[in-house]
Amino acid sequence: MYPAWQYFYKGQASPGVVNADFLRRLLVVGERSVLEEMTEYIPLSKEASECIRTMLSKREQDLKPENERVRALERQADEISMKIKHEITSGAISSNVMDNLIELVEKCDDLLDQSYYISREIKRMGPRLKVQNDASRNAVDHAYTVFANMIEIHLRALDHVRIAFTGRQIAEVQAARHEIEKLEEQVDEMKDNLIDSLYEMSQYVSYIVFLHLTELTHKIDDLLDDCEDIADLVQTVRLSVTK
C-alpha cells in the first residue's frame, strides 16, 4: 500500500485515510500558520502607540528618542512584511485567499507606517508650540488629551486583533471583529466631536496648529480603521478556507 501522500500525487484515494475533510484540513494549515505569524505586528504596533502617547504628554520637550524608536519599529514591520509576503507567494497557500492575505499584510504594515507619520508630526510641532498664542496652545492641549484617549482605545483594539489572528473557531474571530467595530465607532465619534470643536476655534488658532490637529485626528482614526479592516480580512480568509 502506498503512503497517503503518494495517493494525493497519483490522484487516488487512500482507503480509510484520505477523504475530503482530511484534504480540507491540510489546506487550512498554511493559512492558519500565516495568520498566527502576523501576530508579530501586534507588539510592534503597541510599542509604537505607547511612544506616541508619551510624545503627546511631553509635547514641548525633546521628542526625538520616541520618534526614532517608532521609526525603528516601522522598519521591523517592513522586514516582517517582506518575509510573510514571500511565504504567502511561495508556500502552500490556496490561490483563492492569496490576494486577501497579501492585503492583510499591507494593512498590518500600515499600522506602523501610520504610527511613524503621527510621531513625526508630533515631533515637528513640538518646538513650534512655544511661539503659538494662548488659543493655539489651548487647542493643542485639548486635542492631545483626546488623542491620548483615542490611542488607549487603539491599544484595546489591538488585543482583539490578536484574538482574530489566533482564534481557533470562526465564532472567536467574529466576536473579536464585533468588539473592534464598537471601538472604532467610539473613536469615530471622538474624531467628529474634536473636528467640530477645532472648526469652532479656527478663527483664534494659527493655521499651522489647525492643520496639524485636524490631520492628526484623521490619522489616529485611521489606526482603528486599519484594525477593523484587518479583522474583516481575517474573517474572510477563515471563512474561505473552512468551506
Side-chain angles (χ1 to χ4, degrees):
M1 182 178 293
Y2 291 114
W5 67 268
Q6 290 192 21
Y7 284 98
F8 289 150
Y9 184 78
K10 295 174 180 292
Q12 302 173 15
S14 174
V17 177
V18 180
N19 53 46
D21 187 57
F22 181 61
L23 286 168
R24 181 182 59 79
R25 290 199 302 271
L26 283 179
L27 290 174
V28 169
V29 171
E31 286 82 358
R32 179 171 290 167
S33 176
V34 169
L35 290 177
E36 291 183 353
E37 194 169 357
M38 288 185 194
T39 59
E40 293 180 37
Y41 291 105
I42 304 299
L44 301 185
S45 187
K46 280 197 163 191
E47 185 177 351
S49 294
E50 292 290 358
C51 287
I52 290 170
R53 192 157 58 172
T54 299
M55 295 176 76
L56 290 168
S57 64
K58 290 174 68 173
R59 300 182 192 181
E60 298 177 26
Q61 302 175 41
D62 181 18
L63 304 176
K64 186 176 179 180
E66 289 82 9
N67 178 245
E68 290 183 344
R69 180 55 185 159
V70 177
R71 175 56 174 156
L73 293 167
E74 189 265 341
R75 287 174 175 167
Q76 288 183 46
D78 286 343
E79 293 175 0
I80 292 171
S81 297
M82 290 177 61
K83 179 186 66 172
I84 297 179
K85 282 183 178 180
H86 176 72
E87 292 174 1
I88 292 170
T89 56
S90 62
I93 299 296
S94 307
S95 58
N96 64 319
V97 297
M98 188 174 292
D99 288 345
N100 285 331
L101 288 173
I102 293 292
E103 185 179 357
L104 190 50
V105 171
E106 291 172 351
K107 284 291 181 181
C108 290
D109 189 73
D110 192 55
L111 288 173
L112 278 299
D113 289 340
Q114 296 279 13
S115 295
Y116 179 56
Y117 179 93
I118 292 165
S119 70
R120 189 173 54 191
E121 289 302 302
I122 297 171
K123 174 180 173 290
R124 284 173 174 162
M125 179 54 68
R128 293 164 178 81
L129 289 177
K130 298 176 182 179
V131 299
Q132 299 300 318
N133 60 35
D134 288 344
S136 295
R137 291 165 67 89
N138 289 338
V140 170
D141 287 345
H142 171 65
Y144 276 22
T145 299
V146 176
F147 293 160
N149 292 334
M150 292 168 75
I151 290 294
E152 175 61 34
I153 294 174
H154 172 58
L155 288 166
R156 288 160 54 192
L158 288 172
D159 288 332
H160 293 293
V161 170
R162 182 191 295 277
I163 293 171
F165 280 138
T166 60
R168 292 295 175 180
Q169 303 297 325
I170 191 63
E172 295 178 76
V173 178
Q174 292 171 332
R177 186 213 169 279
H178 180 64
E179 292 301 317
I180 292 169
E181 182 180 20
K182 291 195 296 185
L183 294 172
E184 191 278 332
E185 289 172 354
Q186 289 182 41
V187 168
D188 202 47
E189 184 175 356
M190 294 167 72
K191 175 198 70 176
D192 288 341
N193 291 337
L194 180 55
I195 290 176
D196 287 345
S197 67
L198 290 173
Y199 271 89
E200 290 173 3
M201 296 183 287
S202 60
Q203 60 182 316
Y204 307 109
V205 303
S206 68
Y207 174 73
I208 190 173
V209 167
F210 178 82
L211 185 65
H212 168 73
L213 295 179
T214 53
E215 182 72 8
L216 283 190
T217 303
H218 288 292
K219 290 298 182 182
I220 295 175
D221 178 66
D222 285 345
L223 294 174
L224 275 296
D225 289 338
D226 280 344
C227 288
E228 187 172 20
D229 289 343
I230 288 167
D232 286 341
L233 285 165
V234 172
Q235 180 173 284
T236 298
V237 170
R238 291 293 300 275
L239 288 172
S240 296
V241 301
T242 55
K243 286 180 179 178

